[in-house]
Amino acid sequence: MTWKLSFISVKKRWQDYVVLLAGLVISVAIFYLFQTMAFNSTFLAEVIPTLADIGIIFQLGTVLLAMITVVYIFYANSFLLSMRKKEYGMYLMLGAKKTKIKQMMAIETLVIGCVSLVIGLVIGMGLAQGMTQSLMARLDVTSELYQAFSPMAMSVTILFFSILFLFTALLNGLKFSRTKL
């Protein structure tokens, strides 16, 4: 029943969730792009030999992007919670337990997170390939060392966003407990 309510709720407010999803997809794609560039150190050393530690610059970019993403996701989830106060209050009036509503919120957060992660990784791989081709064309360099698919970059991206979505789901439950409906 909780799963069904979660999917009905997402369908009903799809416009609000599309905005959240789009922002997360862009964030995942750019995060993956930076990670791919950082982990392709042999390619970077070949293409830009004067900047041997350029991977650190991409890791710094990843950290900045991560901070922006954390702020974005918490703001967006707070906004969605405030918009849905009446709906959650109605569920409580109809006899739903707070734990079930928290479970429903967690399911919504995790499903949106998983969808954005999959779409973002696919777009990120395409973006990584396109940006690298553009970089090589501008530098008038050719190289066969670059790989748009990086298992290490994918692992770091999945780990970071999985932890972020789990933490967000837990924080949403805490906010819900403290919110007066």
Short mmCIF file of all heavy atoms in Angstrom, two decimals, residues 5 8-9 12 84 86-97 101 104:
data_model
loop_
_atom_site.label_atom_id
_atom_site.label_comp_id
_atom_site.label_asym_id
_atom_site.label_seq_id
_atom_site.Cartn_x
_atom_site.Cartn_y
_atom_site.Cartn_z
N LEU A 5 0.80 4.28 -2.77
CA LEU A 5 0.59 5.69 -2.43
C LEU A 5 1.76 6.56 -2.89
O LEU A 5 1.56 7.69 -3.35
CB LEU A 5 0.40 5.85 -0.93
CG LEU A 5 -1.01 5.62 -0.38
CD1 LEU A 5 -1.01 5.73 1.13
CD2 LEU A 5 -2.00 6.59 -0.98
N ILE A 8 1.43 7.00 -6.67
CA ILE A 8 0.29 7.88 -6.96
C ILE A 8 0.65 9.32 -6.66
O ILE A 8 0.34 10.23 -7.43
CB ILE A 8 -0.96 7.43 -6.18
CG1 ILE A 8 -1.50 6.12 -6.74
CG2 ILE A 8 -2.04 8.51 -6.21
CD1 ILE A 8 -2.59 5.48 -5.90
N SER A 9 1.34 9.53 -5.54
CA SER A 9 1.74 10.87 -5.15
C SER A 9 2.71 11.49 -6.15
O SER A 9 2.60 12.66 -6.50
CB SER A 9 2.37 10.82 -3.75
OG SER A 9 2.79 12.08 -3.37
N LYS A 12 0.80 12.40 -9.26
CA LYS A 12 -0.06 13.57 -9.06
C LYS A 12 0.74 14.87 -9.07
O LYS A 12 0.27 15.88 -9.55
CB LYS A 12 -0.80 13.41 -7.72
CG LYS A 12 -1.92 14.39 -7.52
CD LYS A 12 -2.80 14.01 -6.36
CE LYS A 12 -2.05 13.98 -5.06
NZ LYS A 12 -2.91 13.77 -3.90
N ARG A 84 3.30 19.68 0.69
CA ARG A 84 2.47 18.50 0.89
C ARG A 84 1.98 18.34 2.32
O ARG A 84 1.46 17.28 2.68
CB ARG A 84 3.28 17.26 0.47
CG ARG A 84 3.63 17.35 -1.00
CD ARG A 84 4.36 16.17 -1.48
NE ARG A 84 3.54 14.98 -1.37
CZ ARG A 84 4.02 13.76 -1.48
NH1 ARG A 84 5.28 13.57 -1.67
NH2 ARG A 84 3.21 12.72 -1.37
N LYS A 86 -0.65 19.49 3.82
CA LYS A 86 -2.08 19.18 3.87
C LYS A 86 -2.35 17.73 3.49
O LYS A 86 -3.19 17.07 4.10
CB LYS A 86 -2.87 20.12 2.96
CG LYS A 86 -2.92 21.54 3.46
CD LYS A 86 -3.71 22.42 2.51
CE LYS A 86 -3.66 23.86 2.98
NZ LYS A 86 -4.37 24.74 2.06
N GLU A 87 -1.64 17.26 2.47
CA GLU A 87 -1.82 15.87 2.04
C GLU A 87 -1.43 14.90 3.15
O GLU A 87 -2.15 13.94 3.42
CB GLU A 87 -0.96 15.63 0.79
CG GLU A 87 -1.06 14.24 0.23
CD GLU A 87 -0.16 14.05 -0.99
OE1 GLU A 87 0.28 15.05 -1.59
OE2 GLU A 87 0.09 12.89 -1.32
N TYR A 88 -0.29 15.16 3.80
CA TYR A 88 0.13 14.29 4.89
C TYR A 88 -0.83 14.38 6.07
O TYR A 88 -1.12 13.37 6.73
CB TYR A 88 1.54 14.64 5.34
CG TYR A 88 2.60 14.38 4.29
CD1 TYR A 88 3.68 15.23 4.14
CD2 TYR A 88 2.52 13.29 3.43
CE1 TYR A 88 4.66 15.00 3.18
CE2 TYR A 88 3.49 13.06 2.47
CZ TYR A 88 4.55 13.91 2.36
OH TYR A 88 5.50 13.68 1.40
N GLY A 89 -1.34 15.56 6.33
CA GLY A 89 -2.33 15.73 7.39
C GLY A 89 -3.60 14.93 7.10
O GLY A 89 -4.18 14.32 7.99
N MET A 90 -3.99 14.92 5.82
CA MET A 90 -5.17 14.14 5.44
C MET A 90 -4.92 12.65 5.66
O MET A 90 -5.79 11.93 6.15
CB MET A 90 -5.51 14.39 3.97
CG MET A 90 -6.76 13.66 3.51
SD MET A 90 -7.06 13.85 1.75
CE MET A 90 -5.73 12.89 1.08
N TYR A 91 -3.73 12.18 5.32
CA TYR A 91 -3.40 10.77 5.56
C TYR A 91 -3.50 10.44 7.05
O TYR A 91 -4.00 9.38 7.42
CB TYR A 91 -2.00 10.44 5.06
CG TYR A 91 -1.85 10.42 3.55
CD1 TYR A 91 -0.65 10.76 2.95
CD2 TYR A 91 -2.89 10.04 2.72
CE1 TYR A 91 -0.49 10.74 1.57
CE2 TYR A 91 -2.75 10.02 1.34
CZ TYR A 91 -1.55 10.37 0.78
OH TYR A 91 -1.40 10.34 -0.59
N LEU A 92 -3.01 11.36 7.88
CA LEU A 92 -3.09 11.13 9.33
C LEU A 92 -4.54 11.11 9.80
O LEU A 92 -4.91 10.30 10.65
CB LEU A 92 -2.30 12.21 10.08
CG LEU A 92 -0.77 12.12 9.98
CD1 LEU A 92 -0.12 13.34 10.61
CD2 LEU A 92 -0.27 10.85 10.63
N MET A 93 -5.35 12.00 9.25
CA MET A 93 -6.77 12.04 9.62
C MET A 93 -7.48 10.76 9.20
O MET A 93 -8.42 10.32 9.87
CB MET A 93 -7.47 13.24 8.96
CG MET A 93 -6.98 14.58 9.42
SD MET A 93 -7.71 15.11 10.94
CE MET A 93 -9.39 15.32 10.48
N LEU A 94 -7.04 10.16 8.11
CA LEU A 94 -7.67 8.93 7.63
C LEU A 94 -7.14 7.68 8.34
O LEU A 94 -7.58 6.58 8.04
CB LEU A 94 -7.46 8.79 6.12
CG LEU A 94 -8.19 9.83 5.26
CD1 LEU A 94 -7.78 9.72 3.81
CD2 LEU A 94 -9.70 9.67 5.41
N GLY A 95 -6.19 7.88 9.25
CA GLY A 95 -5.73 6.76 10.06
C GLY A 95 -4.35 6.24 9.74
O GLY A 95 -3.93 5.23 10.31
N ALA A 96 -3.65 6.87 8.84
CA ALA A 96 -2.29 6.42 8.53
C ALA A 96 -1.36 6.74 9.70
O ALA A 96 -1.54 7.74 10.40
CB ALA A 96 -1.78 7.11 7.27
N LYS A 97 -0.43 5.88 9.93
CA LYS A 97 0.56 6.11 10.98
C LYS A 97 1.70 6.97 10.43
O LYS A 97 1.99 6.95 9.23
CB LYS A 97 1.14 4.77 11.45
CG LYS A 97 0.10 3.79 11.92
CD LYS A 97 -0.30 4.10 13.32
CE LYS A 97 -1.23 3.01 13.85
NZ LYS A 97 -2.40 3.52 14.44
N ILE A 101 3.85 7.13 6.68
CA ILE A 101 4.04 8.34 5.86
C ILE A 101 5.53 8.59 5.67
O ILE A 101 5.98 8.93 4.56
CB ILE A 101 3.33 9.55 6.49
CG1 ILE A 101 1.82 9.32 6.50
CG2 ILE A 101 3.68 10.83 5.74
CD1 ILE A 101 1.04 10.37 7.24
N MET A 104 6.70 6.22 3.09
CA MET A 104 6.27 6.67 1.78
C MET A 104 7.19 7.79 1.26
O MET A 104 7.61 7.78 0.10
CB MET A 104 4.82 7.18 1.84
CG MET A 104 4.27 7.63 0.50
SD MET A 104 2.59 8.24 0.60
CE MET A 104 2.83 9.81 1.38
#
